[in-house]
C-alpha cells in the first residue's frame, strides 16, 4: 500500500490514544523519567510556510527561502512576511507549534511534529491543480537540549523528513520513508542545539485524502559510541527440517564512534560450523557509517532454535585489542517446505536480500509429466509493506494448488527501493536466478522451475511494477495481472506545480523517466494476456490509471481483460484472489506453453539499459538517448528453411536478433535489403545489426562490442540511475578532507534507500578492471581526477569551472562566479560507471549530491550542471543538462546555454 506504512500508522494511532497533555507534562523536564536520558527536544517549534513544491522536486532545490540566504539565516520575527503562491494575499508568516514528546521503548526520546495550514484554501487549489496542490513545503525549527555533563554519542532518526540542519550543518537526506536503517550519528555536546527541518509533503508517501498536513517524527537515542548493530539480528533464510534453504546471510553494523573501525572476522559463536564472508577482511566502517556484512554459512544444518555470530572489530590505525560483539538470531523453522518461507540470495550490488518462496503443492494437479518444469508466479508487493508480512506472503493462501512456483520478492525495501526499477528489479531477477540454491539446499526432487517463464502480478506499487516487468521483459512474461496499479508517477501525482522552467529543461527531466512511463510502453504488451483489476472507489491509486491502460491496450491489440470492482477501495482481504484473478491464474498457468510466437509486433524502448528482448529482438543502442526508440517487426516464413524479418526502425542504431523459428534469415531494414551472406545463423545464435554512417544497416554474427571505455553499453546505458546497476558494492571516493562528510552522507542514503553497501575511501586512483562495483567520486574544483576516457566531453577547466563539448563539437565553458555544481556519469573499465559529484566549493558539491539517487521520479539525466540559483529556482537553475550517447558524446537534444 502506498501511503502510511503500517509502522508509522500504528505510531500515529499510539499518539492519538495518548492521554491529553501527557506530552506537555514531560516537556517541563528535559530528563525523562522512564528511559532516563539527559537529552530531549524542545517542546515548542517555530514554523515558516507553506510554500509551493512540485512532486519529487525537492532534490533540485526549489526552496524559496534560499533566495533570502536560506531558513538557517532567518530568525523568528512576528512581523516578517514572506511571499508564497499558496496563502491569501500571497504572504506567509512565522508561527509556532507544540511537538508531542514521548519516551522511546528502550531508551531515548521522540518528538512528533504535526504541521497543517488550515488557513489555506486547499480544496479550491485542489479543484484547479489536483493532488499536486496538496503537496507543500515548509520549515520547522526546534532544539535538541542536552542537560548532561558531557558529550554523548547519539543517533538521530528523521522519519518522513527529506532534509535537516543540525547546528548549521546540512543533512540531505533524511529518512523520507521511515526505514530507520541509517540514522545520523551525532556527538552531542552539553547545551542547546538548533535543529532546522525542511518539511515536504508528498501524496505518495503521506496520502491524498483530507486536509493536507505533515507529520514527521524525530527520535534521539543513545548510541554505543563505537560498534553497534544497524539492524537487529541476522538476515538469514528459514530452516526446513533443520536445514537452511539458502546459505546467504548478513549482519548490518554501524560505527557510532569518532574513529573508524575495522571488522576483522565473522565467526559462528558456538557450534562447529563455519561461515565465508563475501568481502575480504578487514572491512572498514567509517565513523558514522552503516554497512551490511554479507556472508555464507558453510553448513546449512541448524537444528537449534537460535544462532549467535561473533563480529570481531577494532579501531582502525590503532593497536587496541580486538573486541567481539555477539549477534543473536532466532532461526525460523518453517512448518513445512510448502508454506511460504524466507529465502535469501545475493543481490548484484553485493548485498544479501530475501524473497518469500512457495513451491508448487503436492496436491497441484498440473496435468503434465512429473519431469516437467513449472513457471514462476511473481507477486510484487505494494509500497510500505514487508514481503514477509502475512498481507503479502499469505495473499495467495486461498489458491494453494496452482501450478507455479510462487515468489514474493522484496525489491530490497518496503518501497522496493526505486519502485521495482533499476535496483528493485535487479532484486527480482537475482531472486529468480538464485532459486537453484533453494533446490540444492532442500534436496528437492519434485517438479522443476522454468526460470524464464513468469506470470507477474502485484498490488499498488507492485501493480506498477507489474507493468514495468511486462514492458521490459516481454519474452519472459507470459501473463500479467496488475492490481490497483498506477501507470507512471507523473500520472499519479502530476508534476504541474514545479517551479517555472524552460520546457527545454523540463523535457529532459521528463525524458529521464521514459522507461517508467508504462502508458507509453504499452505496445510491448502485445500478445501477452493481461488481467487488470481495480477497485472503483480506490482513493489511493485512482481507477483512472487502469481505465486509461484499458483504453490504450485496446489500441495496441494487446489481449486484456479489465475488472473494475464496484464499491471496492484500494485494498481488502483477498484482493489478490478474487474470482477473476483465481480463474486467470489457473487459465494462464495451464495454457501458457501453447501460445504461437508473434509475427507482427513493435518494440518501444526508453533505455536499452533496462530492456530485454521481445520476439527475440533486442534494442542495443539508441541514436538519441532521451527519446524513445522503436522497431516495427514483421516475420514471415516464405519457405521452410528461411525467415524474412522486415523491420522499420526509429532512433535505433544497434539491435540484435535471436532468430526463431528459422535456421536462416533474411532481413529488410526500413525497406532495404541487408546483405544475406552473413546471416545464416545457427539456431540460437544472435545476429547483430548496426546502422552505419551512410544510413545502411549492416549485419554481423560478431555478437558483441568489446567492453572498452570508449563505447557505452548495456548496464552503463540509461539516465543517472544506471549507477544503481552495480555488480558489487559501491566505492565512494572523495578528494579533499572537506568532502568526507558528503561521502558519508551518500553512503548513508545508499544504505537507507537501497540497503546498498558502500566502501568509502579517501582519494586514490579511480577504477581498475579488477574491481566490479560502480563508483561515486566526490571532488571540489581541480581535485577531480581525469576520466578514464580521454575524450570524455565534460572536463574541469580551473578551480571553479567546467567545460562541455556540445553536440556540434563546440567547447562551452561554465562557472566562474556562478557557484557551479554538477553530477555526471563517466565510464570505467569492465562496463562500470563512475558518478561524479562536483562543486566549485564543498557547499556546491553538496547541492549536486542531492541528485544522487534516493527517491524515484526526480528525473536526473546523465549530466546536470547547476548554478546556485537552483537552490530557489529548482530545475531552472540548471545551466546544462542532458544525455550522453553510445560514444559518450553529448546528445543532440541535450540542453546547453
Ligand atoms: C534436524 O532435525 C530434522 C527433523 O527434526 C532431522 O530430520 C535432521 O536429521 C536433523 N539434523 C541434524 C543435523 O540433526
Ligand atoms: C548457541 O548457544 C545458545 C545458548 O547460549 C543455544 O540456544 C544455541 O542452540 C547454540 N547454538 C548452536 C549452533 O549450538
Ligand atoms: C527468541 O526466542 C526466545 C525463545 O523462544 C524468545 O524468548 C525471544 O524473545 C526471541 N527473540 C526474538 C528477538 O524474537
Ligand atoms: C494436500 O491436501 C491435503 C488434504 O487436503 C492436506 O492435508 C495437505 O496439507 C495438502 N498438502 C499441501 C502440500 O498443501
Ligand atoms: C485473449 O485471452 C483470452 C483469455 O486468456 C483468450 O481466450 C483469447 O483467445 C485471447 N485472444 C487472443 C487474440 O489472443
Ligand atoms: C515499413 O515501412 C514501410 C513503408 O512505410 C511499410 O510499407 C511496411 O509495412 C513497414 N513494415 C513494418 C514491419 O512495419
Ligand atoms: C575499501 O576501501 C579500502 C580503502 O579505504 C580498500 O583498502 C579496500 O580494498 C576496499 N575494499 C573493497 C572491497 O573494495
Ligand atoms: C589496473 O591494473 C592493471 C593490472 O591489473 C595495471 O597495469 C593498471 O595500471 C591498473 N590501472 C589503474 C588505473 O590502476
Amino acid at each position: 500500500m502506498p501511503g502510511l506504512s503500517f509502522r508509522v500508522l500504528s505510531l500515529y494511532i499510539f499518539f492519538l490514544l495518548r492521554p491529553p497533555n501527557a506530552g506537555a507534562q514531560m516537556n517541563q523536564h528535559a530528563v525523562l523519567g522512564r528511559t532516563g536520558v539527559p537529552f530531549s527536544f524542545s517542546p515548542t517549534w517555530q514554523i515558516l510556510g507553506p510554500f509551493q513544491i512540485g512532486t519529487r522536486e525537492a532534490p533540485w532545490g526549489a526552496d524559496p527561502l534560499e533566495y533570502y540566504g536560506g531558513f538557517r539565516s532567518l530568525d523568528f520575527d512576528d512581523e516578517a512576511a514572506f511571499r508564497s503562491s499558496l496563502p491569501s494575499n500571497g504572504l506567509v508568516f512565522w508561527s509556532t507549534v507544540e511537538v508531542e514528546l514521548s519516551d522511546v521503548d528502550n531508551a531515548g526520546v521522540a518528538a512528533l511534529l504535526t504541521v497543517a495550514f488550515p488557513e489555506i484554501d486547499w480544496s479550491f487549489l485542489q479543484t484547479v491543480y489536483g493532488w499536486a496542490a496538496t503537496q507543500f513545503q515548509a520549515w520547522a525549527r526546534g532544539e535538541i537540549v542536552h542537560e548532561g555533563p558531557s558529550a554523548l554519542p547519539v543517533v538521530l532518526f528523521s522519519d518522513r523528513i527529506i532534509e535537516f540542519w543540525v547546528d548549521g550543518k546540512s543533512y540531505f537526506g533524511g529518512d523520507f520513508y521511515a526505514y530507520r536503517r541509517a540514522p545520523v550519528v551525532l556527538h552531542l555536546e552539553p547545551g542547546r542545539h538548533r535543529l532546522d527541518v525542511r518539511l515536504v509533503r508528498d501524496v505518495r508517501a503521506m496520502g491524498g485524502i483530507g486536509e493536507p498536513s505533515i507529520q514527521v517524527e524525530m527520535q534521539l537515542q543513545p548510541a554505543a559510541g563505537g560498534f553497534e548493530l544497524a539492524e537487529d539480528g541476522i538476515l538469514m533464510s528459514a530452516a526446513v527440517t533443520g536445514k537452511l534453504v539458502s546459505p546467504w546471510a548478513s549482519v548490518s553494523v554501524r560505527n557510532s564512534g569518532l574513529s573508524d573501525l575495522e571488522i576483522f572476522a565473522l565467526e559462528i559463536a558456538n557450534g562447529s560450523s563455519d561461515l565465508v564472508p563475501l568481502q575480504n577482511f578487514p572491512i572498514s566502517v567509517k565513523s558514522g557509517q552503516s554497512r551490511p556484512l554479507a556472508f555464507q554459512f558453510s553448513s546449512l544444518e541448524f537444528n537449534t532454535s537460535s544462532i549467535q555470530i561473533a563480529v570481531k572489530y577494532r579501531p582502525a590505525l590503532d593497536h587496541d585489542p580486538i573486541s567481539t560483539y555477539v549477534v543473536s538470531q532466532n532461526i525460523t523453522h518453517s512448518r513445512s517446505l510448502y508454506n511460504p518461507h524466507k529465502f535469501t540470495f545475493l543481490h548484484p550490488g553485493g548485498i544479501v536480500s530475501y524473497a518469500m518462496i512457495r513451491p508448487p503443492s503436492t496436491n497441484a494437479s498440473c496435468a503434465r509429466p512429473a519431469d516437467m518444469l513449472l513457471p514462476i508466479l511473481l507477486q510484487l508487493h505494494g509500497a510500505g509493506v514487508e514481503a514477509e508480512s502475512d498481507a503479502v506472503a499469505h495473499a495467495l493462501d486461498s489458491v494453494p494448488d496452482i501450478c507455479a512456483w510462487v515468489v514474493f520478492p522484496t525489491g530490497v525495501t518496503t518501497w522496493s527501493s526505486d519502485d521495482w526499477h533499476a535496483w528493485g528489479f535487479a532484486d527480482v531477477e537475482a531472486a529468480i536466478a538464485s532459486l537453484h540454491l533453494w533446490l540444492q539446499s532442500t534436496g528437492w526432487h519434485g517438479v522443476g522451475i522454468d526460470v524464464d517463464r513468469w506470470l507477474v502480478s502485484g498490488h499498488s506499487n507492485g501493480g506498477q511494477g507489474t507493468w514495468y516487468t511486462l514492458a521490459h521483459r516481454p519474452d519472459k512474461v507470459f501473463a500479467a495481472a496488475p492490481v490497483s496499479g498506477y501507470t507512471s508517477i507523473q500520472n499519479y501525482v502530476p508534476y504541474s506545480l514545479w517551479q517555472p522552467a524552460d520546457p527545454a529543461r523540463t523535457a529532459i527531466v521528463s525524458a529521464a523517466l521514459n522507461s517508467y512511463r508504462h502508458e507509453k510502453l504499452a505496445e510491448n504488451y502485445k500478445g501477452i494476456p493481461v488481467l487488470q483489476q481495480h477497485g472503483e472507489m480506490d482513493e489511493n491509486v485512482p481507477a483512472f490509471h487502469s481505465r486509461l491502460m484499458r483504453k490504450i491496450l485496446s489500441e495496441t491489440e494487446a489481449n486484456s481483460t479489465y475488472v473494475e470492482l464496484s464499491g471496492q477501495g484500494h485494498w481488502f482481504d483477498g484482493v489478490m484472489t478474487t474470482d477473476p484473478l483465481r480463474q486467470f491464474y489457473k487459465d494462464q498457468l495451464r495454457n501458457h506453453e501453447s501460445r504461437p510466437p508473434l509475427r507482427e509486433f513493435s518494440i518501444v524502448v526508453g533505455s536499452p539499459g533496462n530492456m530485454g528482448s521481445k520476439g527475440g529482438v533486442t534494442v542495443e543502442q539508441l541514436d538519441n538517448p532521451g527519446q524513445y526508440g522503436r522497431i516495427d517487426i514483421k516475420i514471415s516464413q516464405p519457405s521452410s528453411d528461411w525467415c524474412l524479418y522486415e523491420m522499420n526502425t526509429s532512433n535505433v542504431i544497434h539491435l540484435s536478433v535471436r532468430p526463431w523459428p528459422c535456421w536462416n534469415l533474411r532481413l529488410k531494414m526500413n525497406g532495404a535489403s541487408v546483405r544475406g551472406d552473413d546471416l545464416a545463423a545457427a539456431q540460437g545464435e544472435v545476429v547483430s545489426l548496426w546502422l552505419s554512417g551512410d544510413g545502411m544497416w549492416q549485419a554481423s554474427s560478431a555478437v558483441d562490442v568489446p567492453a572498452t571505455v570508449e563505447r557505452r553499453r548495456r548496464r552503463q546505458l540509461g539516465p543517472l540511475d544506471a549507477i544503481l546497476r552495480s555488480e558489487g558494492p559501491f566505492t565512494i571516493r572523495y578528494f579533499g578532507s572537506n568532502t568526507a562528510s558528503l561521502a558519508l552522507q551518500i553512503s548513508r542514503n545508499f544504505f537507507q534507500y537501497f540497503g546498498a553497501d558502500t566502501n568509502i575511501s579517501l582519494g586514490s586512483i579511480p577504477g581498475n578492471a579488477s574491481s566490479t562495483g560502480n563508483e561515486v567520486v566526490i571532488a571540489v574544483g581541480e581535485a577531480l581526477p581525469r576520466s578514464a576516457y580521454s575524450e570524455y566531453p565534460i572536463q574541469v577547466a580551473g578551480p571553479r569551472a567546467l567545460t562541455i563539448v556540445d553536440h556540434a563539437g563546440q567547447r562551452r565553458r561554465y562557472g566562474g562566479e556562478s557557484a557551479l555544481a554538477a553530477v555526471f556519469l563517466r565510464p570505467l573499465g569492465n562496463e562500470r560507471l563512475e558518478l561524479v559529484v562536483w562543486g566549485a566549493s564543498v557547499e556546491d558539491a553538496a547541492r549536486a549530491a542531492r541528485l544522487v539517487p534516493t527517491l524515484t521520479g526526480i528525473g536526473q539525466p546523465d549530466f546536470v550542471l547547476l548554478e546556485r540559483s537552483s537552490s530557489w529556482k529548482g530545475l531552472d537553475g540548471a545551466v546544462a543538462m542532458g544525455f550522453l550517447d553510445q560514444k559518450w558524446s553529448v546528445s543532440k537534444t541535450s540542453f546547453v546555454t
Side-chain angles (χ1 to χ4, degrees), residues 358 360-361 364 366 374 377 396 399-404 406 585-586 589:
R358 192 185 87 178
S361 160
C366 304
L374 286 184
L377 193 164
L396 295 183
V399 284
D401 300 335
I402 48 179
C403 294
V406 183
Y585 298 143
K586 226 170 111 189
L589 291 169

Side-chain angles (χ1 to χ4, degrees), residues 617-883:
V617 179
T618 308
V619 173
E620 304 281 353
Q621 292 281 354
L622 299 179
D623 181 22
N624 185 13
Q627 178 187 323
Y628 286 104
R630 157 184 201 98
I631 316 179
D632 298 320
I633 299 158
K634 192 171 161 196
I635 305 170
S636 51
Q637 198 164 2
S639 95
S640 61
D641 56 354
W642 61 280
C643 281
L644 175 65
Y645 275 61
E646 290 171 85
M647 295 195 263
N648 292 350
T649 62
S650 154
N651 193 32
V652 172
I653 54 169
H654 177 195
L655 60 91
S656 60
V657 181
R658 187 178 292 276
W660 193 98
C662 305
W663 287 84
N664 301 306
L665 81 160
R666 291 185 193 163
L667 291 152
K668 197 175 250 186
M669 302 295 293
N670 301 323
S673 290
V674 174
R675 275 175 305 123
D677 313 350
D678 305 334
L679 300 177
Q683 201 160 20
E685 220 170 80
V686 174
V687 175
S688 272
L689 289 153
W690 276 276
L691 188 61
S692 57
D694 60 5
M696 298 302 289
W697 282 90
Q698 293 194 339
S700 135
S701 46
V703 173
D704 232 341
V705 189
T708 61
V709 291
E710 290 86 18
R711 284 289 180 278
R712 191 177 187 186
R713 49 175 236 162
R714 306 259 166 87
R715 63 191 182 92
Q716 293 175 323
L717 295 169
L720 200 84
D721 64 359
I723 193 70
L724 297 174
R725 280 188 232 118
S726 181
E727 294 192 350
F730 296 93
T731 300
I732 301 180
R733 296 177 196 281
Y734 60 98
F735 293 82
S737 59
N738 290 339
T739 49
S741 69
L742 278 182
L744 184 62
Q745 176 173 298
I746 290 171
S747 164
R748 199 178 58 243
N749 287 342
F750 270 25
F751 185 53
Q752 187 89 276
Y753 289 96
F754 306 105
D757 188 24
T758 52
N759 190 25
I760 300 178
S761 118
L762 171 63
S764 85
I765 313 143
N768 203 341
S770 62
S771 2
T772 56
N774 287 342
E775 310 206 343
V776 178
V777 166
I778 306 159
V780 169
E782 289 173 303
L784 178 68
R786 295 182 66 83
S787 170
Y789 177 36
S790 56
E791 303 297 310
Y792 185 79
I794 305 173
Q795 307 270 353
V796 175
R800 303 175 64 78
L802 296 177
T803 58
I804 298 183
V805 177
D806 71 13
H807 177 67
Q810 188 193 338
R811 186 174 294 274
R812 292 165 182 266
R813 189 183 171 87
Y814 299 90
E817 294 316 299
S818 63
L820 200 62
V823 282
F824 47 91
L825 291 176
R826 300 199 301 198
L828 289 176
N830 218 2
E831 208 178 303
R832 293 181 307 132
L833 285 172
E834 176 181 60
L835 173 60
V836 176
V837 175
W838 180 91
S841 67
V842 177
E843 293 73 41
D844 298 318
R847 204 146 33 77
R850 296 156 172 270
L851 293 175
V852 177
T854 49
L855 309 179
T856 54
I858 297 163
Q860 306 94 322
D862 291 335
F863 69 93
V864 180
L865 273 63
L866 296 167
E867 286 186 344
R868 177 167 294 152
S869 63
S870 67
S871 50
W872 65 91
K873 288 184 187 167
L875 180 57
D876 226 25
V879 287
M881 60 193 298
F883 301 96

Side-chain angles (χ1 to χ4, degrees), residues 462-522:
Q464 178 273 140
T466 301
W467 290 124
Y468 178 83
T469 309
L470 188 51
H472 294 86
R473 296 293 182 274
D475 274 350
K476 294 193 170 170
V477 176
F478 63 83
V483 175
S484 314
Y486 62 93
T487 47
S488 59
I489 185 170
Q490 299 99 314
N491 266 352
Y492 195 168
V493 188
Y495 280 37
S496 47
L497 289 179
W498 281 43
Q499 289 300 304
D502 184 336
R505 294 174 169 108
T506 50
I508 286 169
V509 165
S510 208
L513 298 171
N514 274 353
S515 293
Y516 313 126
R517 198 181 285 119
H518 308 319
E519 64 274 23
K520 277 296 298 168
L521 303 172

Side-chain angles (χ1 to χ4, degrees), residues 46-204:
Q46 301 166 348
I47 306 292
L48 185 53
F51 301 98
Q52 173 184 337
I53 187 88
T55 303
R56 301 291 161 96
E57 186 188 17
W60 291 95
D63 172 4
L65 295 177
E66 285 293 322
Y67 185 77
Y68 306 99
F71 181 70
R72 61 200 169 278
S73 69
L74 302 172
D75 287 319
F76 187 87
D77 178 353
D78 272 333
E79 310 283 293
F82 295 83
R83 312 269 163 108
S84 165
S85 53
L86 302 178
S88 137
N89 206 24
L91 295 178
V92 296
F93 301 88
W94 289 86
S95 61
T96 59
V97 67
E98 299 294 307
V99 296
E100 289 197 58
L101 295 175
S102 63
D103 291 337
V104 175
D105 289 350
N106 305 319
V109 55
L112 184 75
L113 172 64
T114 305
V115 177
F117 298 94
E119 68 276 18
I120 310 287
D121 190 350
W122 297 115
S123 60
F124 179 68
L125 284 170
Q126 201 178 340
T127 58
V128 183
Y129 302 105
W131 265 353
T134 68
Q135 303 183 131
F136 58 81
Q137 60 178 326
W139 280 89
R141 174 173 299 151
E143 284 179 327
I144 296 170
V145 185
H146 177 20
E147 298 193 328
S150 54
L152 277 181
V154 294
V155 287
L156 176 62
F157 293 91
S158 52
D159 294 1
R160 305 214 269 165
I161 292 169
I162 195 137
E163 81 179 285
F164 56 95
W165 295 65
V166 183
D167 290 334
K169 181 171 160 41
S170 155
Y171 295 89
F172 188 98
D175 185 3
F176 202 62
Y177 295 135
Y179 290 134
R180 302 209 170 170
R181 193 182 280 128
V184 166
V185 175
L186 298 173
H187 294 271
L188 205 59
E189 296 289 337
R192 308 181 84 84
H193 303 272
R194 189 157 99 176
L195 187 49
D196 286 351
V197 175
R198 186 182 185 189
L199 305 169
V200 172
R201 202 181 128 72
D202 179 90
V203 165
R204 281 198 55 201

